[in-house]
Amino acid sequence: MDTIEFKLRGEYVALCDLLKLTGVADSGGQGKLMIANGEVTVDGQPESRKTAKIRANQTVRCLGRNILTVAG
């Protein structure tokens, strides 16, 4: 299982932007499609909101990769 650590630059990052910034998705549009298709979970729960606010210490899982957000 691949884990990526992402440092927040502010209080939060939109879920679709996080997928793009970490390279899980090639673009914001592809990230939104992954979310719409139910391929993304946040802290173990399915997430369908494309612009859900992801804050420090939350874990996003998509395509077998874990993204751990940490405070900047």
Side-chain angles (χ1 to χ4, degrees):
M1 187 178 318
D2 190 20
T3 300
I4 302 165
E5 189 173 283
F6 181 80
K7 281 192 177 181
L8 292 172
R9 294 189 183 107
E11 185 180 336
Y12 64 87
V13 63
L15 180 56
C16 59
D17 293 337
L18 178 65
L19 296 175
K20 178 179 69 172
L21 292 169
T22 56
V24 174
D26 293 330
S27 66
Q30 184 185 24
K32 289 178 181 179
L33 187 61
M34 291 172 163
I35 296 164
N37 288 338
E39 299 173 15
V40 181
T41 62
V42 176
D43 293 334
Q45 299 298 316
E47 181 58 76
S48 60
R49 297 172 297 155
K50 297 172 181 79
T51 58
K53 294 177 181 178
I54 306 302
R55 301 177 190 277
N57 301 317
Q58 286 191 293
T59 301
V60 175
R61 182 167 169 78
C62 181
L63 300 179
R65 295 184 187 157
N66 285 330
I67 304 166
L68 174 63
T69 54
V70 294

